[in-house]
Amino acid sequence: MRTDNSSTHKNTRSIEINRAMYGGFVLLCLYFFLTGSYQDAAVNLGIGLIFDPFDQTVRWENRPRWQRVWLIVHLLVMIGIVLLYWKTFGA
């Protein structure tokens, strides 16, 4: 009997693409933050959250605690950058 691994391969490929995109947006955020463009940094960090670097087929409740903490800290850092921008530039 032959098993179909195409869905597993597709899922693995999707995770790899999401991790690459997530990393790209995080690096863009770091660049913009270091150049003083806080608004662009926050936007890119927020877009990075769209590309969940972990297995998206796993429900939130079933994910390991460290993954949940990672994503919540990511969100809090983004909010912190937004608040820093508003405090600095009075937007």
Side-chain angles (χ1 to χ4, degrees):
M1 186 168 165
R2 188 175 202 195
T3 58
D4 184 19
N5 291 334
S6 63
S7 63
T8 305
H9 176 68
K10 184 178 180 182
N11 189 25
T12 304
R13 184 75 174 146
S14 174
I15 293 170
E16 291 172 1
I17 291 170
N18 282 349
R19 285 183 181 164
M21 296 297 288
Y22 176 82
F25 279 106
V26 169
L27 289 175
L28 264 174
C29 167
L30 182 62
Y31 168 76
F32 284 126
F33 187 79
L34 293 175
T35 59
S37 183
Y38 301 123
Q39 186 176 16
D40 292 330
V43 167
N44 281 290
L45 200 58
I47 293 172
L49 272 176
I50 294 171
F51 300 100
D52 183 355
F54 307 113
D55 187 1
Q56 293 181 0
T57 60
V58 178
R59 295 180 50 88
W60 180 258
E61 302 86 27
N62 298 334
R63 288 183 181 212
R65 180 170 289 161
W66 69 271
Q67 288 182 3
R68 291 183 282 173
V69 168
W70 179 279
L71 294 172
I72 290 170
V73 167
H74 180 118
L75 181 64
L76 292 175
V77 168
M78 185 193 71
I79 291 170
I81 292 173
V82 169
L83 294 176
L84 176 68
Y85 172 76
W86 276 339
K87 186 177 180 182
T88 305
F89 298 106

